[in-house]
Amino acid sequence: MVSDEILRTHLQELRRGTVVVASLVALRHPDYGYALLQRLTAHGFPVDANTLYPLLRRLEEQGLLTSEWNTEESRPRKFYRTSADGEAVLARLLDDLAAVQTSVTGLIEGAKR
C-alpha cells in the first residue's frame, strides 16, 4: 500500500501548477489575498498562505496580475486582478490543461495513436 506521504507529495506536485490557473481565473474579479485563499480552498484548491502570497507577488512582477491598495476600510488591503497579459497566458494554460486531460483520458481508455 502506498504511504500517505508519497501520495501527499504527488498530489502537491499535481496541484502546484493548477493553483496558478485557479488564481488567474479567480482574480478575474478583484480580491485580496486572504479572501482568495478562502475562495481557492472552498473550490478544492487548498493552498498555504506561505505559498499563495509569494505566488501573487511573482504573478504581479510578471505582469499577469495588477494590484491596488484599498484604504477605505479600517485595514488597508491590496486587491489583485488578472491583467490583459494574465488573461492571454490563462487562455494558453487552459488550452494546455484541456489537452493534458484529453491525453490522460486517452491513456485511461486505451486509445491508440
Side-chain angles (χ1 to χ4, degrees), residues 34-107:
Y34 184 71
L36 175 63
L37 189 69
Q38 291 179 314
R39 194 158 42 138
L40 291 175
T41 298
H43 283 88
F45 294 93
V47 59
D48 187 78
N50 292 326
T51 299
L52 183 64
Y53 289 107
L55 172 67
L56 292 174
R57 285 192 296 275
R58 180 170 56 88
L59 294 175
E60 184 179 18
E61 288 171 6
Q62 293 171 343
L64 305 181
L65 295 178
T66 59
S67 69
E68 62 182 54
W69 284 96
N70 178 346
T71 56
E72 295 173 6
E73 298 179 25
S74 61
R75 188 172 157 205
R77 292 184 171 152
K78 190 174 188 178
F79 278 74
Y80 295 91
R81 177 182 212 127
T82 303
S83 68
D85 285 346
E87 284 288 348
V89 167
L90 176 59
R92 295 286 306 274
L93 292 174
L94 289 172
D95 286 347
D96 195 61
L97 187 59
V100 167
Q101 179 61 44
T102 298
S103 296
V104 170
T105 299
L107 286 170

